[in-house]
Amino acid sequence: MNSNNRMGFASKIGGLLAAAGSAVGLGNIWRFPTQAGEEGGAAFLLVYIAIIFIFGIPLLISEFAIGRHARANVGNAYSVLAPNTHWKFIGVASVLVAFTIFCYYNVVVGWVVYYVWDAISGNFVSLGQVVNADGSNEFANHFGSFVSNPWKPIVCLAIVIGIMHYVIVSGVQKGIERSAKLLVPALFVIMIMLVIFAATMPGAAEGYKFLFSPDFSAITPDVCLSALGQCFYSFSLGMGLVTYASYFRRDVNLNRTALSVGLIDTLVAVMAGMIIFPAVFSVQGMEPSAGAGLVFISLPNVFDSALQSVPFFGWLIPTAFYVILFMAAITSCIFLHEVSTAFIAERANLSRHKAAAIVSLAAFIIGCGASLSMGPWSDPIFFGMNFFDFLDYFTAKLILPLTGMGAALFVGWKMTTRQLWSELTSYGKVKFLWLVPFKILVRYIIPALILLIMITQLFDIKLG
């Protein structure tokens, strides 16, 4: 499709909500509370907010500038702006990252679908009444039994990919934009209701103190590094936001849009903490540092223990929580699917329907392998990891940091000052007074920080 006639978002608010939806996901409602719980709560939040402004938003602006100026999907954008150069590999790698994450991320979203059903059907209430003779946690047994099942997670995976496929084939405006306008506001409405309810729980005051009252002595280099990594992944940096930016209208203020996306993303994460920590502190023996099992093991147990005296709320609150988790995850999945679909459609000159079918089918096949590696195929076969963990390691620790760094370096060193000024000022319509500090950030500071993330993750280095 000719870039001049390329379909884009119909409205500014639609583009903003789509970009915000691409960032809002499991990283906000699952990973952020987990990280905050493990890294000291308010100390982590304070560092995280600072990193958003010196790292996250400038890199968001960089990817937005590349995408809108090129008017092409991320796989082609670097070639458009820098033809016949090696920069093209950054774009292709970004598509590979988005597709790979899409394949295993869908498996986890399938787990969320199953838990939505568990909540709606009242299964959590039944599980809470089970007392095992061996003293084991029935919620942990339930989760382990489900993820290791050879077919249940695959059925849930098929449902998730089916939803994604329908949205993508509906188009940029009727599918992506329309779903963002529905899901993102609905997500906030339900989260506000849950925040209000969480404020009435016995552990609310202690939960708020943990999240908002910082112990400055807890701010260590490792906490800073953890916050840096959370910002990188939560904002979907390096995953192909260039593609969404290519759909932005020329009159969209990229700086304001990036700031809005960052604030929305952070607000969702903080609200998730305001829901989860009051609940955790309301149950004796529960710790905020529950780790990766927080959402699928600890929280169902927390909801059951804290709400068992009020059966209706014992059903309603878990149901609402897993619904918002699903809604957040879906908006990210739509984004990841679109990155791959747009690349195949435009590179191979295929219809959107055919390109989407290729992506959906391939993602389902690979996702089945990732799902089965949690059960029947759990034996380590890739560098001591099962298939699911290998896909996560390959993207998060190897390729993703390189694509994020590539975007920063491209804006800092390859795009001309005139090109960059055009995008940052929306072709002279808005002011941008920070061009020199911005270029210093994307040329030197942001690449150095990403390199630090990559090295410490690869070699499991603790900074103290």
Side-chain angles (χ1 to χ4, degrees):
M1 182 179 296
N2 187 292
S3 62
N4 293 326
N5 298 319
R6 198 163 185 268
M7 180 64 72
F9 296 124
S11 63
K12 292 181 181 180
I13 188 64
L16 170 61
L17 292 177
S22 70
V24 172
L26 294 177
N28 303 76
I29 302 177
W30 177 7
R31 195 174 190 270
F32 177 84
T34 298
Q35 292 287 98
E38 294 174 345
E39 303 290 352
F44 176 85
L45 176 60
L46 191 64
V47 174
Y48 181 72
I49 292 174
I51 285 174
I52 286 170
F53 288 97
I54 65 173
F55 178 84
I57 292 174
L59 195 47
L60 268 179
I61 294 172
S62 298
E63 296 201 26
F64 287 171
I66 294 170
R68 190 170 68 175
H69 203 75
R71 303 294 290 172
N73 70 81
V74 67
N76 295 337
Y78 292 87
S79 296
V80 171
L81 298 180
N84 303 316
T85 67
H86 292 306
W87 289 105
K88 64 184 178 183
F89 294 114
I90 299 297
V92 175
S94 297
V95 176
L96 177 62
V97 163
F99 175 72
T100 307
I101 293 175
F102 181 66
C103 291
Y104 71 82
Y105 190 87
N106 281 327
V107 175
V108 181
V109 181
W111 302 349
V112 178
V113 168
Y114 189 76
Y115 269 56
V116 170
W117 170 249
D118 269 342
I120 292 174
S121 64
N123 194 33
F124 287 148
V125 177
S126 301
L127 290 172
Q129 297 171 352
V130 175
V131 178
N132 293 313
D134 60 0
S136 61
N137 185 313
E138 186 59 22
F139 290 104
N141 295 340
H142 176 68
F143 178 65
S145 174
F146 168 67
V147 297
S148 61
N149 188 281
W151 64 271
K152 287 182 180 179
I154 291 178
V155 171
C156 295
L157 172 66
I159 292 172
V160 171
I161 292 182
I163 295 172
M164 296 304 98
H165 184 79
Y166 172 78
V167 172
I168 294 299
V169 298
S170 297
V172 173
Q173 295 180 2
K174 294 182 179 180
I176 298 171
E177 185 173 358
R178 184 176 293 175
S179 65
K181 286 181 175 180
L182 172 66
L183 291 174
V184 175
L187 172 70
F188 270 101
V189 170
I190 299 175
M191 289 196 79
I192 289 170
M193 293 170 59
L194 287 176
V195 167
I196 294 172
F197 178 82
T200 68
M201 301 188 76
E206 195 173 354
Y208 295 154
K209 181 179 179 181
F210 178 77
L211 186 60
F212 296 121
S213 181
D215 175 6
F216 293 99
S217 66
I219 299 177
T220 65
D222 279 333
V223 169
C224 295
L225 188 64
S226 179
L228 187 63
Q230 171 64 23
C231 178
F232 190 84
Y233 302 120
S234 181
F235 278 34
S236 297
L237 300 169
M239 300 180 195
L241 273 169
V242 169
T243 298
Y244 266 17
S246 71
Y247 301 142
F248 287 165
R249 291 166 29 170
R250 290 293 189 191
D251 59 349
V252 168
N253 185 328
L254 297 187
N255 316 299
R256 185 180 299 168
T257 300
L259 178 62
S260 299
V261 169
L263 292 177
I264 290 171
D265 185 83
T266 305
L267 182 58
V268 170
V270 171
M271 290 173 71
M274 292 174 67
I275 295 167
I276 291 172
F277 292 127
V280 169
F281 281 105
S282 295
V283 179
Q284 188 174 6
M286 288 292 172
E287 295 292 334
S289 55
L294 178 70
V295 165
F296 297 107
I297 298 174
S298 298
L299 277 181
N301 194 27
V302 166
F303 290 141
D304 174 70
S305 300
L307 303 172
Q308 58 183 333
S309 61
V310 189
F312 175 71
F313 285 120
W315 170 83
L316 177 64
I317 300 306
T319 299
F321 178 80
Y322 287 103
V323 165
I324 65 168
L325 191 63
F326 174 71
M327 292 166 68
I330 282 292
T331 56
S332 294
C333 283
I334 292 170
F335 157 66
L336 294 169
H337 198 314
E338 175 63 15
V339 171
S340 302
T341 298
F343 174 70
I344 292 175
E346 295 175 20
R347 179 63 67 93
N349 197 26
L350 293 176
S351 69
R352 186 175 187 84
H353 285 69
K354 289 181 180 179
I358 292 171
V359 173
S360 296
L361 180 60
F364 178 70
I365 293 171
I366 296 173
C368 285
S371 179
L372 291 170
S373 73
M374 306 296 288
W377 298 351
S378 60
D379 292 337
I381 54 175
F382 297 97
F383 306 101
M385 295 175 279
N386 65 28
F387 187 46
F388 184 100
D389 291 337
F390 172 74
L391 291 177
D392 181 44
Y393 183 91
F394 172 73
T395 53
K397 296 188 178 181
L398 291 176
I399 308 300
L400 185 57
L402 294 177
T403 55
M405 188 188 305
L409 292 173
F410 185 84
V411 169
W413 294 98
K414 188 62 180 177
M415 286 186 73
T416 67
T417 300
R418 184 176 182 81
Q419 288 176 326
L420 191 55
W421 180 88
S422 297
E423 293 303 328
L424 296 180
T425 63
S426 295
Y427 296 84
K429 294 179 181 178
V430 299
K431 291 182 179 180
F432 188 82
L433 305 176
W434 311 102
L435 184 59
V436 173
F438 177 81
K439 294 199 76 169
I440 291 174
L441 280 173
V442 296
R443 278 186 171 184
Y444 306 108
I445 297 176
I446 290 176
L449 291 174
I450 294 175
L451 186 62
L452 182 63
I453 294 175
M454 187 175 183
I455 292 173
T456 54
Q457 284 190 340
L458 283 175
F459 299 102
D460 195 24
I461 297 172
K462 297 296 182 182
L463 301 180

